[in-house]
Amino acid sequence: MPKYHFNVKAAYAFASRFYLYYEKWDKVIQYADLLLGSDAKSQLRDWSQVATMTTSFDAESQHYIDVSLNANLLLLTAYSSLPLATGPYRYYTRYSHGNYLAQNEDCKASNLWGSYIYFYSRPHTYSATNLDRVIFYKLPYLFEYTDPVAGIGYRHTVYPAFTTDEALLNRAEAYVMLKQYDKAAEDLNTWMHNITRSTTQLTPEKITTFYKSKAYSYDDDAKIASTIKKHLHPAFKIDEEGSTQECMLQAVLGFRRIETLQTGLRWFDIKRYGIEIVRRVIGADGKPAKLVDVLKVNDPRRAVQIPSKVVAAGLEANPR
């Protein structure tokens, strides 16, 4: 299976991500073009097909990693319990993507396409005692029995390390940074019309008007309320808040957040753009009740800690 090994298309996708993080915008576009060709939509995940499938975690998650899909460029296997935290289960509920975040920041929030009901495959909401989870059916839970009688074995999953959908949004962000806003809007339209039924046609002007009308997260009196817009503090230069460039970056980052939900890439956008993250106590009404902690722009906790064996060997640990 070529897609379970590093291949040319995966290399193009890797290059588009690498140069995005490296802030070499022309290179991002160069490699995304090589990957996507002249008809980007035909290379993306076909969410309209998913909408015709039986609503089943096993069926949809298996389809998500289907080797025949153009969108999947490199598939990796792992011993992992992650699907228990991102699937319809009652495990790891402390780490769930909950309803408040979904409704106010990402997949269930009012967005450029309107309501979340326009998604071809809507996010699934689970709400019960000690369970608050909003998810897309993505990574499959694959159990390998070593002793079927005892019911024990190993937890596995398969995940797409690189996809065409991510590469498309990489290119959109690069276009925004180069202030080629019409081309960025074209890529954003392609992504939006592929994942939703919306007929809205995005333009730089529409995107700017929409985001200028939104408040920033944590600007309320208690500094705890969420919106779909965050203050951005990247190490590289961007235009002032409310500008066309800043509003279009808000759109790109919002689209990327939904596209990469449950797959671990949001953290890199948080680091790249210096996005502050709050930790809150959620009240019985499902809304933030108390601010507990804030991960600031230059918080030392943003750095990955060096391995414990290296610390034990005498190298000083990163500060916390």
Side-chain angles (χ1 to χ4, degrees):
M1 289 291 184
K3 288 187 178 181
Y4 279 86
H5 304 271
F6 206 63
N7 55 74
V8 173
K9 288 188 175 181
Y12 290 154
F14 168 77
S16 77
R17 184 193 295 176
F18 172 81
Y19 283 115
L20 185 75
Y21 293 0
Y22 196 31
E23 301 161 28
K24 303 295 183 183
W25 317 120
D26 289 327
K27 290 285 190 180
V28 178
I29 296 167
Q30 174 188 342
Y31 286 102
D33 285 349
L34 287 170
L35 172 63
L36 298 170
S38 59
D39 183 11
K41 189 179 188 311
S42 67
Q43 302 302 312
L44 302 182
R45 191 176 304 280
D46 188 351
W47 286 105
S48 64
Q49 179 187 357
V50 178
T52 67
M53 297 174 58
T54 301
T55 303
S56 157
F57 175 70
D58 288 339
E60 289 189 33
S61 61
Q62 288 283 355
H63 177 75
Y64 189 78
I65 62 162
D66 192 328
V67 72
S68 69
L69 300 183
N70 290 337
N72 292 332
L73 304 174
L74 176 64
L75 297 166
L76 299 179
T77 62
Y79 290 100
S80 178
S81 298
L82 182 61
L84 294 179
T86 61
Y89 304 104
R90 284 181 173 269
Y91 298 93
Y92 306 111
T93 55
R94 179 180 178 184
Y95 307 104
S96 293
H97 174 256
N99 204 50
Y100 180 80
L101 275 184
Q103 288 184 337
N104 292 278
E105 293 196 16
D106 49 63
C107 60
K108 292 179 72 174
S110 177
N111 213 309
L112 286 159
W113 51 79
S115 167
Y116 79 95
I117 65 171
Y118 285 100
F119 279 113
Y120 280 114
S121 179
R122 298 181 190 177
H124 303 275
T125 301
Y126 295 87
S127 181
T129 303
N130 295 325
L131 179 62
D132 177 17
R133 181 169 292 180
V134 179
I135 55 173
F136 289 103
Y137 290 162
K138 288 187 175 181
L139 305 185
Y141 178 49
L142 309 171
F143 195 83
E144 174 194 3
Y145 285 99
T146 55
D147 187 335
V149 176
I152 59 174
Y154 298 108
R155 297 167 179 173
H156 297 266
T157 195
V158 176
Y159 66 98
F162 296 106
T163 66
T164 54
D165 302 74
E166 182 211 347
L168 178 71
L169 294 177
N170 292 346
R171 186 172 71 179
E173 184 178 334
Y175 279 138
V176 173
M177 292 307 303
L178 293 174
K179 300 191 175 183
Q180 298 180 29
Y181 300 132
D182 288 335
K183 290 184 177 180
E186 184 178 342
D187 280 349
L188 293 176
N189 271 310
T190 300
W191 182 87
M192 182 180 77
H193 293 148
N194 184 61
I195 201 170
T196 75
R197 296 180 174 87
S198 173
T199 58
T200 298
Q201 289 296 321
L202 301 179
T203 64
E205 293 74 24
K206 283 184 179 179
I207 294 170
T208 302
T209 299
F210 177 83
Y211 277 96
K212 285 183 74 171
S213 70
K214 303 297 181 182
Y216 286 93
S217 290
Y218 323 136
D219 272 4
D220 59 302
D221 291 341
K223 305 297 182 185
I224 56 175
S226 290
T227 73
I228 64 169
K229 189 165 73 169
K230 301 288 182 71
H231 290 290
L232 307 179
H233 309 96
F236 49 89
K237 188 179 185 307
I238 62 173
D239 291 348
E240 69 279 0
E241 291 186 345
S243 66
T244 297
Q245 185 179 59
E246 191 261 356
C247 289
M248 292 199 69
L249 285 173
Q250 295 284 354
V252 171
L253 291 170
F255 286 18
R256 285 177 61 85
R257 186 172 186 182
I258 293 170
E259 174 60 38
T260 64
L261 189 64
Q262 301 165 211
T263 61
L265 291 179
R266 172 64 175 174
W267 174 241
F268 298 101
D269 290 348
I270 288 171
K271 292 188 71 171
R272 291 190 303 124
Y273 279 90
I275 297 172
E276 295 188 348
I277 303 297
V278 300
R279 184 169 294 282
R280 302 163 288 202
V281 173
I282 301 296
D285 60 356
K287 298 178 181 179
K290 180 182 177 183
L291 180 65
V292 177
D293 196 5
V294 182
L295 187 73
K296 295 287 189 180
V297 176
N298 295 314
D299 196 302
R301 291 173 294 180
R302 288 178 180 264
V304 176
Q305 186 55 273
I306 62 177
S308 56
K309 288 184 179 180
V310 178
V311 175
L315 191 64
E316 184 178 354
N318 290 334
R320 285 290 184 266

